[in-house]
Amino acid sequence: MKALSIRQPWAWLIAAGWKDIENRTWRTQVRGRILIHAGKGMTSTEYANVRAFLQDTPSLQHVLPHFPKPGDLVRGAVIGAAEITGCVDVSDSPWFFGPHGFRMANAIQFAEPIPMRGALGFFPTGITEDRP
């Protein structure tokens, strides 16, 4: 399966099924199941900005009790899988910031992360199936 590397805490939000759009500057024709790779990078500012966004967005405040502490977010590993159902330029999702958004659905978190180096774009992993 191919994977997409996503910085934390956005990777966790997708794998946990809370975030339904992954914003990118580029479009994709990829559809179907992909692995979610949590990149190694995450700044305290990125984490604080996402937490503030959850607090300030009434439709997302229910996520806050589940939101992990920074040290609990796995990095540098495949943490789950999701299905890309489309690529949009406009969306009503509170997660859409554009310019392009990959619609994500049917996400699962893996019980055990699979350590792996990330890469730009979609990259091969050697993993052949979901491992919940």
Side-chain angles (χ1 to χ4, degrees):
M1 291 179 75
K2 289 187 178 180
L4 183 64
S5 194
I6 302 168
R7 291 175 73 88
Q8 288 286 30
W10 296 278
W12 177 85
L13 286 160
I14 290 172
W18 301 111
K19 187 173 185 271
D20 63 350
I21 293 279
E22 170 57 16
N23 296 286
R24 294 287 162 148
T25 58
W26 44 277
R27 295 186 57 75
T28 186
Q29 296 297 317
V30 171
R31 301 294 183 270
R33 206 91 176 131
I34 64 158
L35 298 170
I36 304 300
H37 176 269
K40 284 193 173 187
M42 179 183 77
T43 67
S44 57
T45 300
E46 287 171 324
Y47 180 87
N49 287 344
V50 172
R51 187 164 185 80
F53 178 71
L54 293 172
Q55 290 172 331
D56 295 342
T57 307
S59 65
L60 298 176
Q61 289 174 350
H62 66 283
V63 177
L64 282 169
H66 308 280
F67 197 58
K69 294 177 181 163
D72 294 336
L73 290 165
V74 173
R75 293 188 267 170
V78 172
I79 62 167
E83 181 181 347
I84 296 179
T85 61
C87 182
V88 298
D89 298 329
V90 176
S91 174
D92 290 336
S93 170
W95 295 107
F96 181 77
F97 300 101
H100 309 292
F102 302 171
R103 286 192 322 233
M104 309 299 275
N106 305 313
I108 60 168
Q109 283 183 289
F110 291 171
E112 293 294 325
I114 304 166
M116 183 177 299
R117 286 184 66 137
L120 296 176
F122 293 98
F123 62 94
T125 64
I127 299 171
T128 57
E129 60 188 55
D130 287 354
R131 301 174 184 206

